[in-house]
Amino acid sequence: MGWRSIVVTQHAKISYSGRRIIVQTNQNINEIPIDDIEVLLISTTQAVITARAVSELARASVKVIFSDDTGEPVCETVDYLPNNRSVSLLQQQFDWDVARKEMLWTWLVTAKIQMQITVLQKQQIDTSELDYEFHKIEVNDISNREAVVARKYFPLLFEAGFERRNFQPANAALNYGYSILLSFINRNIVATGCLTQLGIHHHNDENQFNLGSDLMEPFRPIIDWWVSEQNINELTPEIKIQLVDLLNLELKFNGKNTILRNALRTHVTNCISYLNGERETAKVEVELGDEISDHALNRNV
Amino acid sequence: MRLIVMFDLPVDTSEDKRNYRKFRKELINEGFLMIQYSVYARVCVTKQSAHFTENRIKTFLPPRGLIQTLTVTEKQYNGMHFLVGDQKDDVRNTSDRTVVI
């Protein structure tokens, strides 16, 4: 069970030997036990990785994320045949009960909007407009309050006129944070043996990660919160690394103190076992600390 | 939490030497780092995982010699004094959740 994120930022060769991943840089050689790694982020195009390393990482269900020349994550590895993926499991996913899918989507949207409101409150911003929309949520969010709230939320959190589609540094940081979050959720979905393509609400034909996009919704505001607290003029390597480090944020999930990466794992398992009919709810209750300081990050075991 | 393995193994016969090499190699493959000769340590996230690792070691023990383990918390491990020499500078000797290379 992995607990470490490895970020490779410089010219390096990544290979495998004796259940360890060897990262050889110009200065030194780092050896990391493969069982410790949860996510391997290669945030440079100057790294070389051996096929053996990729296959061993896939076998240990480690997400490997590759970046383009601007350092933006562009793709990730998806295990071809996780050892727990069976036909019966896939059949179960295709047969997920519509009522359950709709119910889960309602909970996810509710939790997301609640988180957005919490984040605004933390920045001492008036949330009455969002509260108003929040009370209008219906089952399966037929009236699409999610989008309505998002359109009001971003300009409130950042500045008037802020648009998600702009090429602003803050947007680049948000996208970076979201893609790390999505990869991590995808890793957990694959680990349960489900397909990431088949979502409950998202059904974009070109999106390989519809299910991941669904399940990550309640946690997006955590990225927004962090980004809104920074003054970002440029997406620097330090900001990227701190965004990866956000996975270690201490929070309260369903009443238990934990860190974000463990909360995400529990969340994915909860949602999937709800959809499979193994449990009756999949509640998402997140409580955040006062500020994201260094103390809020649990950097050590 | 750290699991520390300390051993003294006989190296009298060529079979003993082979057993010793095999054991040491397996330890390294389990993710252990040599913090000094015959003393190996590994980070474990919880007490259970330390226990699990110890059980894995039990599957490749040599027939003779002396091998002992000790589990200490991160705080105790980091409180170690270096009277002569320095701590090993290695990723495996840290418990950081995010490692930047």
Side-chain angles (χ1 to χ4, degrees):
Chain A
M1 189 53 87
W3 46 274
R4 229 166 208 183
S5 315
I6 310 290
V7 187
V8 178
T9 56
Q10 50 173 317
H11 182 70
K13 184 191 172 191
I14 303 163
S15 57
Y16 171 87
S17 168
R19 296 187 47 216
R20 298 183 306 283
I21 288 298
I22 321 276
V23 184
Q24 198 173 340
T25 61
N26 285 335
Q27 289 82 39
N28 54 0
I29 297 175
N30 298 285
E31 298 183 14
I32 307 129
I34 203 162
D35 299 320
D36 289 356
I37 311 176
E38 195 155 36
V39 176
L40 172 64
L41 171 63
I42 304 174
S43 70
T44 166
T45 45
Q46 296 199 316
V48 182
I49 183 164
T50 63
R52 180 77 195 276
V54 173
S55 84
E56 292 292 342
L57 285 162
R59 190 176 303 173
S61 61
V62 178
K63 261 286 167 217
V64 186
I65 310 170
F66 295 93
S67 309
D68 63 11
D69 51 357
T70 62
E72 194 85 23
V74 282
C75 73
E76 62 182 51
T77 56
V78 182
D79 316 15
Y80 210 45
L81 287 171
N83 46 17
N84 54 0
R85 181 174 287 168
S86 63
V87 178
S88 60
L89 205 68
L90 289 184
Q91 195 60 50
Q92 209 175 12
Q93 188 179 0
F94 278 97
D95 293 343
W96 276 344
D97 184 37
V98 178
R100 277 186 185 251
K101 284 201 248 185
E102 293 185 350
M103 207 55 224
L104 182 61
W105 179 242
T106 320
W107 290 332
L108 291 175
V109 173
T110 315
K112 181 189 182 185
I113 299 179
Q114 231 159 16
M115 284 288 282
Q116 288 174 325
I117 292 174
T118 316
V119 165
L120 288 183
Q121 278 167 350
K122 286 195 183 301
Q123 306 285 23
Q124 267 104 36
I125 297 168
D126 177 40
T127 59
S128 48
E129 272 189 80
L130 265 63
D131 291 333
Y132 172 71
E133 302 293 346
F134 180 64
H135 291 295
K136 293 203 295 186
I137 297 181
E138 292 166 78
V139 170
N140 203 24
D141 195 25
I142 359 176
S143 55
N144 208 2
R145 288 301 101 186
E146 189 216 351
V148 175
V149 167
R151 209 171 306 136
K152 293 183 176 175
Y153 161 79
F154 282 105
L156 278 175
L157 186 60
F158 292 95
E159 65 217 347
F162 182 90
E163 264 185 63
R164 281 286 291 125
R165 282 174 218 285
N166 278 357
F167 291 101
Q168 287 177 20
N171 261 328
L174 287 177
N175 291 338
Y176 195 89
Y178 294 157
S179 52
I180 300 293
L181 202 61
L182 178 64
S183 306
F184 196 81
I185 294 252
N186 287 335
R187 175 194 184 271
N188 286 305
I189 292 173
V190 174
T192 63
C194 288
L195 287 177
T196 53
Q197 288 89 338
L198 201 62
I200 56 167
H201 178 83
H202 288 82
H203 54 269
N204 187 339
D205 220 13
E206 282 158 26
N207 185 356
Q208 248 208 85
F209 306 117
N210 281 317
L211 187 55
S213 312
D214 289 328
L215 300 188
M216 77 182 281
E217 291 292 358
F219 297 92
R220 280 175 191 261
I222 294 179
I223 309 283
D224 307 338
W225 179 29
W226 186 84
V227 172
S228 73
E229 283 202 342
Q230 318 295 315
N231 191 5
I232 297 179
N233 299 321
E234 197 193 342
L235 187 59
T236 60
E238 287 73 42
I239 288 176
K240 290 178 194 162
I241 290 161
Q242 284 176 42
L243 279 164
V244 178
D245 217 13
L246 265 189
L247 287 173
N248 303 322
L249 179 73
E250 286 193 346
L251 45 78
K252 217 171 189 178
F253 182 70
N254 292 345
K256 272 192 197 150
N257 287 322
T258 179
I259 57 174
L260 181 58
R261 61 182 348 136
N262 293 341
L264 292 174
R265 194 180 300 142
T266 320
H267 171 65
V268 170
T269 331
N270 284 354
C271 290
I272 288 178
S273 57
Y274 171 74
L275 290 165
N276 283 338
E278 288 152 11
R279 52 186 295 155
E280 284 321 303
T281 60
K283 62 171 181 175
V284 190
E285 283 167 18
V286 189
E287 277 176 62
L288 299 170
D290 288 334
E291 54 170 335
I292 306 188
S293 59
D294 270 1
H295 299 296
L297 293 174
N298 182 353
R299 291 219 166 87
N300 290 302
V301 173
Chain B
M1 183 151 280
R2 304 279 173 137
L3 178 62
I4 301 174
V5 179
M6 298 163 280
F7 59 79
D8 265 332
L9 293 177
V11 281
D12 302 330
T13 65
S14 66
E15 198 191 343
D16 280 340
K17 283 179 190 157
R18 195 176 73 223
N19 286 336
Y20 153 75
R21 284 195 306 268
K22 230 176 106 187
F23 176 70
R24 181 181 177 276
K25 180 140 195 205
E26 291 268 21
L27 263 191
I28 293 169
N29 285 354
E30 285 300 322
F32 280 86
L33 171 74
M34 186 180 91
I35 54 173
Q36 56 174 277
Y37 284 124
S38 304
V39 182
Y40 289 69
R42 191 205 201 293
V43 186
C44 295
V45 192
T46 56
K47 208 164 187 157
Q48 287 99 298
S49 71
H51 206 74
F52 177 80
T53 312
E54 195 179 285
N55 282 334
R56 285 188 62 103
I57 296 172
K58 284 184 190 158
T59 61
F60 54 80
L61 294 174
R64 301 196 295 126
L66 173 69
I67 299 174
Q68 38 202 337
T69 65
L70 176 67
T71 317
V72 294
T73 64
E74 275 307 299
K75 197 161 184 189
Q76 288 163 339
Y77 185 81
N78 287 317
M80 192 170 355
H81 297 284
F82 288 81
L83 303 183
V84 178
D86 295 305
Q87 188 161 356
K88 273 254 162 93
D89 180 25
D90 191 291
V91 178
R92 283 169 292 176
N93 209 7
T94 67
S95 59
D96 298 346
R97 287 187 184 271
T98 304
V99 177
V100 180
I101 294 168

